[in-house]
Amino acid sequence: MAALGDNKGNSPLNLFPHKDDRTYPPLFSNSKPACTVEEMDAEIRLVARFHSLIIWRIPFSMALLCFEFMCIICHLYVLSAVYILLIANLLPVILAPFLAPHIRKSTPVLPFLRKRYHYSSLRYKTAELSFFITGMFLVLWQLFNSVPAYPVAWLYKFPVLLLAASLFWRVAAPIIFSIRIRRNMGLIE
C-alpha cells in the first residue's frame, strides 16, 4: 500500500495518534507539563474558597435584611443587623487600598479559571478578612444582645444561628464549588 505522504518525502499527517507513535503534535507531547496536578488542584481549591466567600455575602445579607424587616414589623429597632450588613458588604472595598501594597502577585496556573471567577489575590484576602471581622461582630452582637421582647424566642439567638450557618458554609461550600469546577473543566465525570 502506498504511503499517504506528499511527493516531497514528508511523512503523512497522523489524525489518530497512538501512544507509541511520536508524530503527534506538541500538545500531546511527553515533555514536562506546564503545571503539575498538585498546582492545578491548589489553584482550583483557592478559586473555590474565593467563590464561596463571594457567594456567602448574598444569603448572609438577605438573612440580615429579613431579620431587620421582621423586627421593624414588630416595632423593634435593632440596628446591630444593619451595622453588620454594612460591615460585611463595605469592608472589602474599604480594606482594598490598605492591603494592596502588601499582597504579592502570584503567577496563575489556570488563568482562564481566575478570569471566569474574577479572582485576584487582593479580592481573596479582603473577602477573607471581611468574613473574619463579620464573624467577630456576630459574636459581639450575641454576647451583648439585650433581651428585648422578640416576637419569637429564636430571634434572640439569631446571631449565633447566623454565625453557625456562616461557618458551615465556609467549610462545605468550597468542597462543593471545587467539585463543580472540576466537573466543568472535565476533570471528573
Side-chain angles (χ1 to χ4, degrees):
M1 181 169 187
L4 297 176
D6 59 4
N7 54 2
K8 296 181 182 177
N10 294 331
S11 62
L13 177 64
N14 188 357
L15 297 177
F16 305 103
H18 298 288
K19 193 175 194 179
D20 304 338
D21 192 8
R22 299 286 179 220
T23 60
Y24 43 86
L27 178 65
F28 302 110
S29 70
N30 289 336
S31 65
K32 185 177 185 251
C35 61
T36 64
V37 174
E38 291 84 16
E39 290 172 339
M40 283 178 53
D41 190 46
E43 182 98 3
I44 289 170
R45 282 184 281 132
L46 185 68
V47 171
R49 284 194 309 264
F50 169 71
H51 189 61
S52 71
L53 283 173
I54 297 300
I55 297 297
W56 163 79
R57 282 192 292 195
I58 297 167
F60 183 79
S61 298
M62 289 173 52
L64 286 172
L65 285 173
C66 289
F67 175 80
E68 192 62 34
F69 286 138
M70 287 172 36
C71 288
I72 288 172
I73 289 171
C74 297
H75 302 291
L76 295 172
Y77 301 103
V78 181
L79 291 178
S80 301
V82 175
Y83 296 145
I84 292 175
L85 177 71
L86 291 175
I87 287 169
N89 290 308
L90 293 180
L91 199 58
V93 176
I94 294 170
L95 288 174
F98 297 110
L99 292 179
H102 305 289
I103 301 295
R104 64 178 182 88
K105 304 287 184 205
S106 62
T107 305
V109 176
L110 303 169
F112 66 91
L113 190 63
R114 288 184 176 208
K115 185 177 179 183
R116 179 175 181 196
Y117 290 100
H118 305 288
Y119 174 86
S120 72
S121 299
L122 178 63
R123 288 188 71 203
Y124 176 67
K125 289 297 180 188
T126 57
E128 191 173 43
L129 193 57
S130 171
F131 179 84
F132 177 74
I133 292 172
T134 303
M136 289 295 113
F137 275 101
L138 282 172
V139 169
L140 289 174
W141 181 20
Q142 182 62 48
L143 288 176
F144 297 106
N145 195 3
S146 59
V147 189
Y150 285 115
V152 184
W154 66 268
L155 285 179
Y156 177 70
K157 296 291 185 187
F158 182 74
V160 169
L161 295 173
L162 198 56
L163 182 63
S166 296
L167 292 176
F168 177 74
W169 178 268
R170 184 76 171 117
V171 171
I175 296 168
I176 294 167
F177 286 135
S178 65
I179 291 171
R180 182 174 159 235
I181 289 170
R182 284 184 181 92
R183 184 168 288 137
N184 289 343
M185 289 176 61
L187 298 176
I188 59 175
E189 293 179 10

